[in-house]
Amino acid sequence: MKRVVFNQKGGVGKSTITCNLAAISANNGLRTLVVDLDPQGNSTHYLMGAAAEGIEPNLADLFEQTLTIRFEQRATADHALPTPFEHLYLMASSPRLEELMGKLESRYKIYKLRDALAELDDQFDQIYIDTPPAMNFFTRSALIAADACLIPFDCDDFSRRALYALLENVEEIRTDHNQALQVEGIVVNQFQARASLPQKLVDDLLAEGLPILPTYLSSSVRIRESHQTAKPMIHLDPRHKLTQEYLALHARLGMA
Ligand SMILES: Nc1ncnc2c1ncn2[C@@H]1O[C@H](COP(=O)(O)OP(=O)(O)OP(=O)(O)O)[C@@H](O)[C@H]1O
Ligand SMILES: [Mg+2]
């Protein structure tokens, strides 16, 4: 199963959700890969800590190979690096992804990620793709490569309006490039159960028939510590309420 976590709005929880769900899959013994397509590299830092700096070979190296004809190409599988967590692997980000984007786009490399990940089908049970906060070449490559799409939503009124455009974008990719792509659902993130506004927002979306997943992720200050110590919640604090919510979400996605 290849799953992309996507929302063109920044800071809605894409990287945090990607890494925490992936860490749970790996902890359950599934061979799991995180693909960090965001040049910011937040998922790469979250999983690797200080070792993220200058990590190689990374996704920029993989994409660069598609632009040059060399006799000795590095195998796709060599770009999946082990993380400190058992069964969890990473295709790391690089700031160079940003520089490569224009070239990749102008030379029609939009299917290269799909082809690369298809080569790894036998090697991984679960692939999670983190995307940048934009509808750009990398995001489209991910939506073309994936079987499923999870959309984090941060209970903000602006994001609510952007959701419709986002779902239309996904539908267009599905129609034009990837019939297999399914919207698994919208993940309500940083939900504050005691505030009435978020509840009303989510109720409105449900009433409008949007595919809101019933497991909401609450807001927790421990997420900051989780990022700083490069330990996903299942390793930092398995009994925490938010960890339990991630586990429930993971189980709901049919991967437990
Ligand atoms: N459940 C949560 N509780 C508290 N803070 C959270 C939670 N989820 C995410 N955050 C915080 O919100 C911020 C944005 O999260 P994250 O980086 O995962 O979002 P993103 O969508 O990947 O952002 P970007 O668009 O920049 O890539 C981070 O500081 C993260 O620690
Ligand atoms: Mg991110």
Side-chain angles (χ1 to χ4, degrees):
M1 163 66 86
K2 295 186 269 288
R3 173 175 292 111
V4 54
V5 182
F6 166 59
N7 190 325
Q8 54 219 60
K9 179 164 186 271
V12 295
K14 294 181 285 295
S15 304
T16 308
I17 290 169
T18 303
C19 292
N20 278 289
L21 289 179
I24 289 171
S25 289
N27 202 51
N28 287 354
L30 297 172
R31 298 164 304 168
T32 307
L33 175 68
V34 168
V35 180
D36 185 2
L37 278 180
D38 185 353
Q40 293 179 99
N42 292 341
S43 284
T44 300
H45 279 90
Y46 195 3
L47 297 178
M48 302 301 282
E53 227 46 65
I55 193 168
E56 280 183 343
N58 54 50
L59 279 163
D61 299 313
L62 182 69
F63 278 111
E64 209 158 36
Q65 287 199 148
T66 73
L67 294 169
T68 46
I69 305 292
R70 277 202 221 114
F71 291 111
E72 291 200 22
Q73 299 258 332
R74 198 184 263 134
T76 303
D78 292 350
H79 296 81
L81 310 171
T83 71
F85 311 101
E86 199 181 2
H87 306 305
L88 186 57
Y89 289 77
L90 170 72
M91 278 185 160
S93 165
S94 157
R96 281 195 300 126
L97 284 171
E98 189 84 59
E99 300 153 29
L100 283 173
M101 191 162 73
K103 240 185 219 172
L104 291 166
E105 189 144 40
S106 65
R107 290 175 57 187
Y108 308 104
K109 304 293 182 182
I110 198 82
Y111 297 109
K112 289 295 175 185
L113 181 71
R114 180 189 68 184
D115 298 347
L117 296 185
E119 282 179 49
L120 304 181
D121 265 347
D122 293 342
Q123 221 172 311
F124 292 103
D125 304 306
Q126 296 290 335
I127 298 181
Y128 292 87
I129 312 173
D130 187 19
T131 51
M135 188 66 188
N136 64 18
F137 170 84
F138 293 119
T139 320
R140 286 200 301 276
S141 293
L143 287 165
I144 288 171
D147 312 305
C149 174
L150 269 186
I151 302 165
F153 171 66
D154 62 355
C155 304
D156 168 279
D157 202 32
F158 280 117
S159 337
R160 176 195 163 181
R161 276 172 265 163
L163 271 182
Y164 290 92
L166 190 160
L167 289 168
E168 270 173 34
N169 282 336
V170 173
E171 187 52 35
E172 188 178 337
I173 298 260
R174 212 173 75 79
T175 312
D176 292 351
H177 303 280
N178 183 8
Q179 302 271 313
L181 179 65
Q182 287 185 5
V183 175
E184 266 185 314
I186 296 168
V187 182
V188 175
N189 190 35
Q190 299 216 46
F191 186 70
Q192 289 168 314
R194 272 177 243 145
S196 59
L197 202 63
Q199 185 66 60
K200 178 165 184 331
L201 259 180
V202 173
D203 286 347
D204 287 351
L205 289 174
L206 280 168
E208 289 162 17
L210 268 84
I212 303 270
L213 291 165
T215 313
Y216 304 167
L217 302 172
S218 45
S219 190
S220 165
V221 288
R222 291 219 85 188
I223 279 290
R224 180 193 285 256
E225 184 187 345
S226 174
H227 279 274
Q228 275 169 356
T229 56
K231 274 195 189 150
M233 287 299 288
I234 189 74
H235 299 292
L236 181 72
D237 190 348
R239 282 208 262 259
H240 193 277
K241 178 168 181 257
L242 180 56
T243 311
Q244 296 303 313
E245 292 163 353
Y246 275 123
L247 284 164
L249 174 63
H250 186 273
R252 176 161 293 278
L253 298 177
M255 308 173 297

